[in-house]
Amino acid sequence: MAAPAQPKKIVAPTVSQINAEFVTQLACKYWAPHIKKKSPFDIKVIEEIYEKEIVKSRFAIRKIMLLEFSQYLENYLWMNYSPEVSSKAYLMSICCMVNEKFRENVPAWETFKKKPDHFPFFFKCILKAALAETDGEFSLHEQTVLLLFLDHCFNSLEVDLIRSQVQQLISLPMWMGLQPARLELELKKTPKLRKFWNLIKKNDEKMDPEAREQAYQERRFLSQLIQKFISVLKSIPLSEPVTMDKVHYCERFIELMIDLEALLPTRRWFNTILDDSHLLVHCYLSSLVHREEDGHLFSQLLDMLKFYTGFEINDQTGNALTENEMTTIHYDRITSLQRAAFAHFPELYDFALSNVAEVDARDSLVKFFGPLCSNTLHQVASYLCLLPTLPKNEDTTFDKEFLLELLVSRHERRISQIQQLNQMPLYPTEKIIWDENIVPTEYYSGEGCLALPKLNLQFLTLHDYLLRNFNLFRLESTYEIRQDIEDSVSRMKPWQSEYGGVVFGGWARMAQPIVAFTVVEVAKPNIGENWPTRVRADVTINLNVRDHIKDEWEGLRKHDVCFLITVRPTKPYGTKFDRRRPFIEQVGLVYVRGCEIQGMLDDKGRVIEDGPEPRPNLRGESRTFRVFLDPNQYQQDMTNTIQNGAEDVYDTFNVIMRRKPKENNFKAVLETIRNLMNTDCVVPDWLHDIILGYGDPSSAHYSKMPNQIATLDFNDTFLSIEHLKASFPGHNVKVTVNDPALQIPPFRITFPVRSGKGKKRKDADGEEDDTEEAKTLIVEPHVIPNRGPYPYNQPKRNTIQFTHTQIEAIRAGMQPGLTMVVGPPGTGKTDVAVQIISNIYHNFPEQRTLIVTHSNQALNQLFEKIMALDIDERHLLRLGHGEEELETEKDFSRYGRVNYVLARRIELLEEVKRLQKSLGVPGDASYTCETAGYFFLYQVMSRWEEYMSRLKNTGSTCPDAAEVATLFPFQEYFANAPQPIFKGRSYEEDMEIAEGCFRHIKKIFTQLEEFRASELLRSGLDRSKYLLVKEAKIIAMTCTHAALKRHDLVKLGFKYDNILMEEAAQILEIETFIPLLLQNPQDGFSRLKRWIMIGDHHQLPPVIKNMAFQKYSNMEQSLFTRFVRVGVPTVDLDAQGRARASLCNLYNWRYKNLGNLPHVQLLPEFSTANAGLLYDFQLINVEDFQGVGESEPNPYFYQNLGEAEYVVALFMYMCLLGYPADKISILTTYNGQKHLIRDIINRRCGNNPLIGRPNKVTTVDRFQGQQNDYILLSLVRTRAVGHLRDVRRLVVAMSRARLGLYIFARVSLFQNCFELTPAFSQLTARPLHLHIIPTEPFPTSRKALPSLTLLLPLLSCDFVFFQWKTSPLYFFHLMKCPRDLGNPNNKQANSFINMLSKAVFHSSKTNKINLMCLFYGGGVNYFSLKTFLFACLFCF
């Protein structure tokens, strides 16, 4: 296999290079934001920049990057654009800047929205330029830039400004571009379209000639663009040299066509235009397809376009077509062709009279139509309205090859998409893994197009939605697999031996040479399939490795995925491997095939099953694994071997590679998606269109749901009636009781419900009811029934005073429909989620709620808070790994719950035994749950009913409270409760206590009745399944677990009514969708009632490792983010309680009205200054250290030694002042810097008990969702801004600190970045040198006030000075304990001396002298003479 070309990495310019550039000099003169006196606008500047900087460099990314970064578009191009100054250079410059913004993945249309007046004129100029002749004013390269710009426009339909212009190109009037006969045929198919068409013609007649001509040009734009493309395509020769500009133009054009076909709003009318142009036929017959290297990507794009042109959807209605409907369409086409042949072409009688199955194969069609002449073929096509009618006595102008392909490709039988999917191997092979067009390397720059699907706003059908996600998830997994293969195989160092074989000069932990490989079973195919049902093989390896690695290999479990690899190296023994050169060429890799472990074989050749029994000890080092091969791949390989004489792949494997279990779940997820595509995906009707991105985005909001609930019990949500009133501003609150003493929570609230779907109630005159009644809430306080006399019977209460927006989120979550909560940092997202769950649990006790999160950490945080509320423990269940991280002694896993039920059963039966004894009932009522049930029915209930009847029959009008206690039958049982049980104050109070006691007893027997199943089911597995399906009301799992276990959950009959998703903006689109389908539909409908999504799309998205999938395919877009983009209503939490108000200002500009909770201003920790530091946040400029800024020892492994040293120095300084080390976290934006900082900490202070280690040293991305009091942040980069330009990463970085944030960066680089301006303008307003107060210990009483008047000495430090100030030698004279060093009883002082003496003993002579000088300088004030002499002794 040919080694792929290694793409070049685009090197970003350094700050010094940027400053030296001609563009930068012009920017400083004309448009740089920090320049106050700018020169007036000059059109010649734009012309000069375009010609000298862009065209001359052939649109080099580096030049365009510089221009875009300098805010050329925002501050100069669009600000001064008007029809009067519009020119070619102007248009092209704007397009280049917009394309660059899309490449960098930053917002592109914000500038145009602010000044939209001239955009329609600008867009019309772009359309005109795109149709210009290639040898005219606009070159082909320039027109390729225009195509890319248009593609971005068509993919930005959510922007009103763009949509208003694009719609004119893709609406029904574009059918003017159809040939007349085809237009008439299409209007006949859909009669209502003729009415619209006639109306369009009437409106056109009313237009003035100039406007009509302009409209006609816009309607025919795409038709003319297609014809222009065909002419460019035909100009490419088969073998002669061709300019790459033509190839790139063709690739970009096909990409545009794919994107138009993949969106229903653009596809609806355009698909007919595309079909009428026969674009696919022209492309498949073109020379470019047959050029092996130049046309490879073009061919792949063409296959994607073919797939979408024939997609199984009704273009007009948007409804998905079933397999039967697609078959009907195919039969209609064939029969219409047969009728035409029978009526007009006698030479095709045999074809006309044959059955469809006999003639719809490609070979059959070629056989019948191949012998016909060109004119006859043209006549057949024109009869079918595919071509214009051929005039009499004239020959056709079309080639016979084109005419034949046109008829054959249109009428041949196509394999269904589901069938194609089912025949696709799930494991990637070497052909896919190293195909740069499908799985680009880490160097992908965003410059060219790729043969990849895109995730945008809308999808054609659920099948299309699943298929795109399936392909992208598969390819993202493939990228990770490629990294693992390259790492493992290169470590093994395969070389060619002297005899031509393979010898391994190294070793790898994750890979082993194969000793033997044998296929042991190929099972027969299922009926209707041509691939085997199962293929198994045995792989033998020799585990002559360390014990812990041997244990890892022997620990391979069932369903673990491994890869079988064939390498045939050509390099001689001892050749060094160079990671910069192509991998395949160096190691001689030939084949890669995936397999799934069934198990390891024992001495007798039997599979060792996983189970509670200990695994047998095998002798020797040889181990054999039984593996499942992919049946589809095996069938393809065997077919290739038999038909083409290729070698048998399965005889060649010589390496097996395993992967880390956490990264190896891709196959299970892919199987889940494929299974979903093979079943009828039943999502609720109220969600279907929103998921696809169509219809009214607010249709699933609770206010528009037909089943909206009027009265809701808010349980313990409100702390008081005042809290309730404040939570509904603008509403009139009416309380059903007037006595203030009775107006206490909990409250039931009755809301005014709108009748009909989303329509307000109307009065008799038909007017909308916006009266006071429509804004009136009826509040009913109610008392929770007494649950018993024991303290643990008292319900747990919420203590959080929710804000009015949090209350709206809770209310929306309790109602049916889709609820989306946007929670900025520190706004209590988790508290809102927990309260929603609690309220649903109490309002709808028969319903079950599924909780899904992105990470185990978030799930555990959520679960710990749920446990603190009034939710019965037996109804909680936690699925998946990670449960062990819960900070509780209780086990909420499936088997932990089984053990809980069994233990609880025994406890309850003991209570029954005690009750039986107290009542004096003979026998053994506590033997089983069943006997306990009979005891309750015949002994307990009878006594209670007798008790109640005796109280009623006393005959007194004023019942005596003493009788309640005297007659109570369970006095002895409750003797261990706090006494007295009955207060004797009133009959009603004591009666409520008596009923509470009975409720306590009744609950015991209710639980035992629920636990009866555990007596009947004997195995732990059956008991755990029962708990999952029947007992648990709140089930929690991660999105990954849901994707992996969907098949098992559906098979068990798992049911749920509500879904709550935390961290929804961090979950992949497909992993968000799968939890909707973890249950079988009921009578063809989904039972899902509520879907609550809580997240923050302004923070970081899901992690996608491959930049191409992240940027080009938009795979990092979560479903939550897409819903926000579509316009689904959200509840935006607007008050944070995490950080100081000043720190919140660094990121609150990104949110709607984000303010602060009162305690942020009131609590002492927020109002007190940070000890030893003048500011609560500061940006510290770090210049080159030892002549070096950022470095890159490995690709994308960025480090900055100066910043790392400075960060650690500040950390040491803070610890020496008294800050707790665990209250400080060090963050950075790159993994390389993280490792460097950890190394420096290990060397400087890691083992020093006086300082210690910070709470965490990690990346910003990893720290999302966490917080700490003090954050030290290193931004690393000095050449280019890098991925901090993604504002979402900036928001996360700025929002992790509660009390102090100190950022180390190259200020000159970051302050000019447009996207970062709102935060960096605040940061740069403060001094750029660190300001410290070294004599102020922690904690301090100094207030964090705007006034900076200080009595303490202040130091302004650069890095070199600060390094000395943070040494233990300097801090010796600042500490409190050295003041009494001469006192032998001062243990703290003596311990300090011991530590410091060790440090000084190993320090340089200069440091020792410095220490003595410090002692001397402060000795008069701080030390006795004895202490000073002692210090001098151990210094020297």
Side-chain angles (χ1 to χ4, degrees):
M1 186 176 66
Q6 201 77 349
K8 293 182 180 178
K9 182 184 173 188
I10 294 175
V11 180
T14 64
V15 177
S16 57
Q17 288 173 329
I18 290 173
N19 292 333
E21 284 281 349
F22 171 68
V23 167
T24 308
Q25 295 169 10
L26 285 176
C28 292
K29 184 177 179 182
Y30 288 99
W31 68 80
H34 59 276
I35 302 300
K36 294 181 180 179
K37 292 184 179 180
K38 300 182 180 71
S39 300
F41 172 74
D42 186 354
I43 184 64
K44 292 180 181 178
V45 173
I46 296 174
E47 302 281 347
E48 188 177 10
I49 290 175
Y50 181 69
E51 292 299 330
K52 289 185 177 180
E53 298 294 314
I54 299 179
V55 175
K56 193 175 179 181
S57 67
R58 289 194 55 79
F59 295 82
I61 285 185
R62 184 175 172 279
K63 295 285 186 181
I64 296 174
M65 191 189 302
L66 278 173
L67 281 165
E68 192 277 323
F69 187 74
S70 70
Q71 303 180 33
Y72 185 40
L73 175 66
E74 295 86 355
N75 294 344
Y76 202 68
L77 286 176
W78 192 248
M79 179 186 289
N80 298 299
Y81 182 80
S82 66
E84 293 76 28
V85 296
S86 183
S87 65
K88 171 193 167 183
Y90 215 139
L91 294 176
M92 292 303 305
S93 298
I94 293 173
C95 288
C96 287
M97 295 304 104
V98 171
N99 292 347
E100 176 61 17
K101 283 189 177 293
F102 273 95
R103 191 187 75 84
E104 291 277 355
N105 205 17
V106 295
W109 304 116
E110 300 303 316
T111 305
F112 298 93
K113 289 186 203 173
K114 292 175 184 175
K115 188 186 173 188
D117 300 343
H118 297 307
F119 189 80
F121 176 82
F122 167 75
F123 193 75
K124 288 178 175 62
C125 292
I126 296 296
L127 299 183
K128 185 177 178 182
L131 294 176
E133 294 296 326
T134 55
D135 54 356
E137 184 182 3
F138 289 85
S139 69
L140 205 55
H141 194 138
E142 289 171 327
Q143 290 186 337
T144 305
V145 173
L146 296 176
L147 280 183
L148 182 57
F149 175 81
L150 288 172
D151 193 29
H152 293 320
C153 291
F154 282 114
N155 281 308
S156 302
L157 294 180
E158 77 276 17
V159 181
D160 295 338
L161 178 66
I162 306 299
R163 186 172 61 251
S164 62
Q165 299 303 313
V166 166
Q167 275 180 336
Q168 301 169 26
L169 310 180
I170 53 171
S171 53
L172 177 59
M174 76 181 303
W175 275 10
M176 288 183 65
L178 295 175
Q179 52 164 312
R182 179 66 183 271
L183 175 61
E184 191 62 29
L185 178 67
E186 295 298 330
L187 294 177
K188 275 184 184 177
K189 285 182 187 176
T190 316
K192 68 176 182 179
L193 288 183
R194 189 174 292 280
K195 294 180 182 178
F196 291 125
W197 191 256
N198 292 334
L199 185 62
I200 290 167
K201 289 167 73 175
K202 285 182 182 178
N203 290 336
D204 287 350
E205 291 172 1
K206 297 176 183 177
M207 296 168 67
D208 61 79
E210 187 177 345
R212 189 186 311 127
E213 182 60 31
Q214 178 63 39
Y216 285 178
Q217 286 179 4
E218 290 175 354
R219 295 170 189 175
R220 291 195 177 101
F221 171 74
L222 287 171
S223 300
Q224 294 173 345
L225 192 63
I226 290 172
Q227 295 306 317
K228 178 186 173 181
F229 161 76
I230 291 173
S231 66
V232 173
L233 183 65
K234 288 183 176 180
S235 69
I236 297 176
L238 182 60
S239 55
E240 289 80 7
V242 62
T243 62
M244 291 309 294
D245 283 353
K246 287 187 177 181
V247 176
H248 292 153
Y249 179 86
C250 293
E251 290 169 351
R252 283 293 183 192
F253 180 85
I254 297 297
E255 180 192 14
L256 173 61
M257 296 295 104
I258 292 169
D259 289 346
L260 290 173
E261 286 286 293
L263 291 172
L264 190 59
T266 53
R267 174 197 180 90
R268 179 169 277 125
W269 313 111
F270 173 71
N271 193 39
T272 308
I273 291 283
L274 189 66
D275 184 58
D276 189 52
S277 70
H278 313 304
L279 177 71
L280 283 172
V281 179
H282 285 293
C283 289
Y284 276 113
L285 295 176
S286 67
S287 300
L288 184 55
V289 169
H290 299 97
R291 295 177 72 102
E292 188 173 342
E293 289 188 12
D294 297 339
H296 182 58
L297 175 58
F298 180 79
S299 299
Q300 291 173 327
L301 291 166
L302 202 54
D303 290 339
M304 288 182 66
L305 180 59
K306 181 181 179 181
F307 171 81
Y308 274 110
T309 53
F311 196 83
E312 298 163 354
I313 186 174
N314 183 311
D315 292 334
Q316 268 69 54
T317 64
N319 295 329
L321 298 176
T322 64
E323 194 168 338
N324 287 339
E325 289 171 329
M326 289 300 295
T327 303
T328 302
I329 291 171
H330 170 66
Y331 272 66
D332 288 344
R333 283 185 174 182
I334 286 283
T335 50
S336 65
L337 178 60
Q338 287 180 313
R339 283 194 296 269
F342 184 79
H344 302 284
F345 305 100
E347 57 268 54
L348 290 174
Y349 275 176
D350 288 345
F351 169 78
L353 298 174
S354 301
N355 63 58
V356 172
E358 188 181 343
V359 299
D360 64 352
R362 171 171 276 268
D363 293 342
S364 301
L365 289 167
V366 171
K367 175 183 150 188
F368 283 110
F369 288 91
L372 302 181
C373 66
S374 298
N375 287 347
T376 305
L377 290 171
H378 188 130
Q379 288 170 353
V380 173
S382 63
Y383 187 82
L384 297 172
C385 301
L386 300 177
L387 291 174
T389 306
L390 184 65
K392 289 185 179 181
N393 302 322
E394 287 189 20
D395 292 330
T396 179
T397 56
F398 295 100
D399 296 335
K400 180 178 178 179
E401 185 183 19
F402 168 79
L403 295 167
L404 182 61
E405 180 62 26
L406 174 61
L407 292 171
V408 170
S409 62
R410 188 174 184 79
H411 297 95
E412 68 178 324
R413 181 172 60 243
R414 292 185 180 181
I415 185 171
S416 75
Q417 294 171 3
I418 286 293
Q419 200 173 344
Q420 282 180 307
L421 186 72
N422 290 336
Q423 292 178 6
M424 178 190 295
L426 290 178
Y427 302 110
T429 66
E430 70 286 346
K431 292 180 180 176
I432 294 175
I433 294 175
W434 283 277
D435 188 332
E436 284 295 324
N437 296 327
I438 300 176
V439 188
T441 62
E442 58 198 348
Y443 294 117
Y444 175 73
S445 64
E447 200 172 0
C449 63
L450 299 167
L452 294 174
K454 297 178 183 177
L455 303 183
N456 206 334
L457 280 182
Q458 298 167 324
F459 300 87
L460 297 178
T461 62
L462 283 177
H463 176 87
D464 176 43
Y465 174 78
L466 289 169
L467 186 61
R468 291 196 217 181
N469 280 284
F470 175 88
N471 287 327
L472 284 174
F473 191 90
R474 179 170 174 255
L475 294 174
E476 167 69 5
S477 305
T478 300
Y479 174 71
E480 296 172 11
I481 290 164
R482 179 171 73 190
Q483 290 181 314
D484 289 344
I485 291 175
E486 291 183 354
D487 179 64
S488 296
V489 175
S490 60
R491 288 177 186 273
M492 293 185 72
K493 298 180 182 177
W495 291 313
Q496 189 178 45
S497 68
E498 297 176 3
Y499 306 103
V502 181
V503 60
F504 295 99
W507 73 281
R509 181 175 187 161
M510 308 302 286
Q512 287 293 320
I514 292 176
V515 176
F517 180 89
T518 310
V519 176
V520 295
E521 181 190 16
V522 180
K524 292 181 179 179
N526 291 324
I527 296 173
E529 297 176 351
N530 63 352
W531 59 89
T533 53
R534 182 174 65 249
V535 182
R536 295 194 296 173
D538 286 350
V539 185
T540 302
I541 58 177
N542 190 3
L543 292 177
N544 183 18
V545 290
R546 296 171 190 167
D547 288 343
H548 68 282
I549 299 176
K550 186 176 182 179
D551 292 341
E552 289 176 4
W553 279 96
E554 291 182 344
L556 286 173
R557 296 181 299 175
K558 191 173 184 178
H559 303 307
D560 281 350
V561 173
C562 292
F563 285 88
L564 305 166
I565 302 167
T566 301
V567 290
R568 289 180 186 148
T570 57
K571 305 295 181 184
Y573 194 94
T575 306
K576 288 187 178 180
F577 287 84
D578 186 354
R579 291 185 179 273
R580 291 170 294 184
R581 292 182 51 225
F583 166 76
I584 293 177
E585 169 188 298
Q586 292 190 79
V587 301
L589 188 140
V590 184
Y591 302 118
V592 175
R593 296 291 182 270
C595 65
E596 183 179 301
I597 298 289
Q598 182 184 0
M600 191 167 66
L601 302 185
D602 60 16
D603 294 333
K604 298 179 181 178
R606 295 174 302 191
V607 174
I608 301 171
E609 299 290 344
D610 291 331
E613 297 82 13
R615 308 190 74 168
N617 290 323
L618 302 180
R619 297 178 182 177
E621 296 170 345
S622 180
R623 298 288 182 269
T624 300
F625 294 91
R626 178 72 47 82
V627 299
F628 291 109
L629 302 177
D630 190 316
N632 290 328
Q633 187 64 57
Y634 185 82
Q635 188 264 342
Q636 291 178 14
D637 289 332
M638 290 299 103
T639 302
N640 187 37
T641 300
I642 294 167
Q643 294 182 355
N644 302 325
E647 72 173 330
D648 186 349
V649 174
Y650 300 90
D651 286 340
T652 65
F653 298 132
N654 51 16
V655 174
I656 182 171
M657 186 197 78
R658 62 186 174 92
R659 302 181 70 218
K660 293 177 183 176
K662 285 188 177 180
E663 301 170 356
N664 210 19
N665 54 28
F666 73 96
K667 181 175 181 285
V669 177
L670 291 176
E671 282 182 330
T672 295
I673 302 173
R674 188 159 72 177
N675 290 339
L676 282 174
M677 295 172 74
N678 278 281
T679 58
D680 290 331
C681 290
V682 180
V683 298
D685 291 339
W686 47 272
L687 265 182
H688 183 274
D689 286 353
I690 292 176
I691 287 174
L692 294 181
Y694 302 116
D696 178 8
S698 64
S699 61
H701 189 259
Y702 75 86
S703 62
K704 295 190 176 182
M705 294 291 287
N707 55 342
Q708 187 181 163
I709 300 167
T711 303
L712 291 169
D713 182 357
F714 277 80
N715 197 30
D716 58 351
T717 305
F718 302 104
L719 304 184
S720 64
I721 190 66
E722 291 76 20
H723 179 203
L724 185 150
K725 291 177 179 178
S727 299
F728 295 99
H731 286 78
N732 180 25
V733 177
K734 287 188 177 179
V735 188
T736 55
V737 293
N738 295 322
D739 185 357
L742 298 177
Q743 295 179 358
I744 57 174
F747 302 109
R748 288 192 191 95
I749 303 179
T750 301
F751 296 93
V753 176
R754 303 173 184 223
S755 59
K757 192 168 183 178
K759 295 179 181 177
K760 292 183 180 178
R761 291 177 300 177
K762 295 188 177 182
D763 57 24
D765 300 324
E767 296 295 323
E768 288 188 351
D769 185 7
D770 283 328
T771 60
E772 186 177 343
E773 183 185 351
K775 293 188 175 182
T776 300
L777 307 180
I778 309 299
V779 176
E780 177 193 355
H782 66 96
V783 178
I784 297 175
N786 190 307
R787 296 181 182 179
Y790 299 100
Y792 63 79
N793 289 134
Q794 301 308 308
K796 300 172 186 174
R797 295 282 187 180
N798 162 56
T799 58
I800 298 170
Q801 183 161 344
F802 293 107
T803 66
H804 69 91
T805 51
Q806 288 176 320
I807 293 295
E808 173 58 24
I810 293 168
R811 174 192 174 186
M814 295 167 68
Q815 292 281 7
L818 172 63
T819 300
M820 291 187 56
V821 181
V822 176
T827 52
K829 296 188 288 291
T830 306
D831 294 321
V832 168
V834 168
Q835 195 62 40
I836 290 172
I837 293 164
S838 175
N839 289 0
I840 290 175
Y841 174 82
H842 289 285
N843 277 267
F844 313 101
E846 76 288 349
Q847 293 185 10
R848 314 181 73 212
T849 300
L850 175 65
I851 303 173
V852 180
T853 66
H854 167 64
S855 65
N856 279 308
Q857 179 188 356
L859 195 57
N860 291 338
Q861 287 176 356
L862 200 63
F863 225 67
E864 284 160 12
K865 291 195 174 186
I866 290 171
M867 288 156 54
L869 289 183
D870 185 27
I871 294 175
D872 197 319
E873 185 183 325
R874 74 182 192 276
H875 291 145
L876 298 174
L877 181 62
R878 165 80 159 81
L879 297 181
H881 300 291
E883 188 275 338
E884 60 274 6
E885 297 171 13
L886 270 171
E887 293 181 4
T888 173
E889 295 178 359
K890 297 174 182 177
D891 185 356
F892 287 91
S893 66
R894 282 168 68 169
Y895 288 102
R897 293 293 84 197
V898 170
N899 293 334
Y900 165 78
V901 166
L902 296 176
R904 183 67 178 153
R905 171 184 165 273
I906 293 171
E907 290 174 10
L908 294 175
L909 288 175
E910 285 295 319
E911 288 296 302
V912 172
K913 187 176 182 179
R914 193 166 67 83
L915 178 61
Q916 179 188 0
K917 184 178 179 181
S918 71
L919 297 176
V921 176
D924 191 1
S926 62
Y927 182 61
T928 65
C929 295
E930 185 178 8
T931 57
Y934 290 129
F935 170 72
F936 175 72
L937 187 63
Y938 294 112
Q939 300 294 336
V940 179
M941 279 300 297
S942 60
R943 284 171 169 76
W944 175 255
E945 288 170 356
E946 181 186 357
Y947 168 68
M948 293 299 291
S949 64
R950 288 177 67 183
L951 285 175
K952 288 178 182 177
N953 295 332
T954 55
S956 173
T957 53
C958 298
D960 186 4
E963 291 183 352
V964 176
T966 306
L967 298 175
F968 188 62
F970 307 114
Q971 284 276 17
E972 186 179 342
Y973 174 74
F974 288 107
N976 62 347
Q979 300 294 326
I981 296 175
F982 299 100
K983 311 301 180 189
R985 290 191 287 261
S986 70
Y987 174 84
E988 289 77 12
E989 182 185 8
D990 282 3
M991 196 64 222
E992 176 62 21
I993 292 171
E995 289 178 347
C997 290
F998 182 70
R999 289 188 192 101
H1000 174 82
I1001 293 173
K1002 187 176 181 181
K1003 185 179 178 182
I1004 292 173
F1005 292 96
T1006 302
Q1007 290 187 48
L1008 285 172
E1009 182 61 29
E1010 292 179 4
F1011 295 164
R1012 274 188 71 182
S1014 64
E1015 294 181 341
L1016 301 174
L1017 301 170
R1018 307 310 298 171
S1019 73
L1021 179 62
D1022 289 340
R1023 287 168 175 167
S1024 70
K1025 289 178 180 178
Y1026 175 81
L1027 284 176
L1028 173 63
V1029 175
K1030 295 291 184 184
E1031 183 73 8
K1033 297 285 192 255
I1034 298 171
I1035 304 100
M1037 66 182 75
T1038 63
C1039 56
T1040 305
H1041 185 83
L1044 293 176
K1045 298 296 182 182
R1046 179 193 175 270
H1047 176 74
D1048 297 338
L1049 292 171
V1050 170
K1051 192 175 178 181
L1052 279 175
F1054 180 55
K1055 302 287 182 189
Y1056 53 94
D1057 304 273
N1058 316 296
I1059 296 179
L1060 184 139
M1061 287 186 178
E1062 253 268 51
E1063 297 181 320
Q1066 286 182 261
I1067 305 176
L1068 281 175
E1069 175 117 17
I1070 189 62
E1071 290 185 340
T1072 312
F1073 180 73
I1074 288 174
L1076 298 179
L1077 301 167
L1078 297 183
Q1079 59 185 343
N1080 282 319
Q1082 289 184 333
D1083 303 321
F1085 295 95
S1086 171
R1087 63 180 277 165
L1088 190 67
K1089 301 172 181 65
R1090 294 171 189 80
W1091 188 12
I1092 302 114
M1093 301 175 75
I1094 302 176
D1096 183 4
H1097 59 291
H1098 293 304
Q1099 296 189 56
L1100 285 167
V1103 176
I1104 304 297
K1105 291 184 179 179
N1106 189 292
M1107 296 296 288
F1109 304 139
Q1110 184 190 115
K1111 289 183 176 181
Y1112 184 85
S1113 295
N1114 202 23
M1115 193 181 175
E1116 69 172 7
Q1117 175 180 258
S1118 63
L1119 187 61
F1120 185 93
T1121 303
R1122 184 161 68 86
F1123 279 177
V1124 172
R1125 285 182 65 199
V1126 166
V1128 174
T1130 60
V1131 180
D1132 293 67
L1133 304 183
D1134 57 3
Q1136 69 88 27
R1138 172 189 291 176
R1140 296 183 193 269
S1142 57
L1143 294 180
C1144 179
N1145 290 336
L1146 294 174
Y1147 56 87
N1148 66 3
W1149 50 271
R1150 190 66 179 155
Y1151 298 93
K1152 296 177 186 175
N1153 306 317
L1154 178 59
N1156 302 291
L1157 290 172
H1159 73 259
V1160 171
Q1161 268 88 14
L1162 300 176
L1163 288 182
E1165 66 174 340
F1166 293 105
S1167 57
T1168 306
N1170 294 338
L1173 297 158
L1174 182 60
Y1175 297 104
D1176 50 13
F1177 71 85
Q1178 203 176 350
L1179 174 64
I1180 299 111
N1181 185 44
V1182 182
E1183 294 297 334
D1184 288 354
F1185 178 62
Q1186 297 176 351
V1188 179
E1190 73 173 62
S1191 58
E1192 192 179 5
N1194 291 317
Y1196 297 104
F1197 196 76
Y1198 294 107
Q1199 296 183 333
N1200 186 318
L1201 182 59
E1203 287 185 17
E1205 290 280 8
Y1206 208 155
V1207 165
V1208 175
L1210 179 55
F1211 165 70
M1212 293 168 62
Y1213 167 78
M1214 293 173 74
C1215 289
L1216 290 167
L1217 284 179
Y1219 284 87
D1222 64 339
K1223 294 295 183 183
I1224 305 170
S1225 292
I1226 299 178
L1227 304 184
T1228 179
T1229 46
Y1230 289 92
N1231 271 317
Q1233 187 75 343
K1234 174 189 75 176
H1235 291 296
L1236 179 60
I1237 291 172
R1238 286 178 179 175
D1239 288 344
I1240 293 173
I1241 286 173
N1242 290 335
R1243 291 174 62 88
R1244 297 270 186 271
C1245 58
N1247 299 318
N1248 188 334
L1250 192 66
I1251 299 173
R1253 298 175 184 274
N1255 176 271
K1256 277 192 178 175
V1257 178
T1258 187
T1259 60
V1260 170
D1261 298 45
R1262 287 280 184 183
F1263 205 66
Q1264 180 163 337
Q1266 302 175 61
Q1267 63 184 44
N1268 209 344
D1269 287 357
Y1270 307 97
I1271 297 294
L1272 312 181
L1273 174 63
S1274 169
L1275 300 186
V1276 186
R1277 302 301 298 275
T1278 58
R1279 295 174 181 269
V1281 172
H1283 60 205
L1284 189 71
R1285 195 173 181 190
D1286 186 338
V1287 178
R1288 297 169 298 186
R1289 186 168 282 103
L1290 176 75
V1291 168
V1292 175
M1294 298 291 123
S1295 60
R1296 298 306 95 196
R1298 295 181 66 249
L1299 304 175
L1301 174 65
Y1302 301 95
I1303 305 168
F1304 299 83
R1306 182 67 56 86
V1307 175
S1308 59
L1309 174 68
F1310 290 93
Q1311 70 178 355
N1312 290 327
C1313 183
F1314 178 71
E1315 288 75 22
L1316 310 184
T1317 301
F1320 274 81
S1321 60
Q1322 298 178 60
L1323 291 168
T1324 54
R1326 293 186 173 183
L1328 300 180
H1329 280 111
L1330 180 62
H1331 281 50
I1332 62 173
I1333 309 167
T1335 56
E1336 181 180 51
F1338 176 91
T1340 181
S1341 58
R1342 176 168 57 92
K1343 295 294 181 183
L1345 298 174
S1347 173
L1348 296 177
T1349 304
L1350 290 172
L1351 299 176
L1352 296 169
L1354 173 68
L1355 292 175
S1356 173
C1357 306
D1358 62 9
F1359 176 44
V1360 177
F1361 181 69
F1362 190 72
Q1363 272 192 305
W1364 163 240
K1365 291 296 180 186
T1366 55
S1367 68
L1369 309 178
Y1370 175 74
F1371 272 88
F1372 196 90
H1373 83 291
L1374 299 178
M1375 300 287 289
K1376 290 182 179 177
C1377 60
R1379 299 187 186 194
D1380 197 18
L1381 282 177
N1383 184 354
N1385 296 321
N1386 189 338
K1387 294 181 180 179
Q1388 186 183 12
N1390 292 325
S1391 174
F1392 179 78
I1393 288 175
N1394 290 334
M1395 283 190 297
L1396 196 61
S1397 61
K1398 292 177 183 177
V1400 174
F1401 181 77
H1402 296 288
S1403 65
S1404 65
K1405 185 174 180 181
T1406 306
N1407 270 354
K1408 292 174 182 176
I1409 294 170
N1410 284 333
L1411 176 62
M1412 191 187 75
C1413 293
L1414 284 171
F1415 283 167
Y1416 180 75
V1420 175
N1421 298 321
Y1422 289 170
F1423 303 112
S1424 66
L1425 180 61
K1426 180 180 176 183
T1427 306
F1428 174 65
L1429 292 173
F1430 175 75
C1432 292
L1433 282 174
F1434 77 75
C1435 278
F1436 292 97

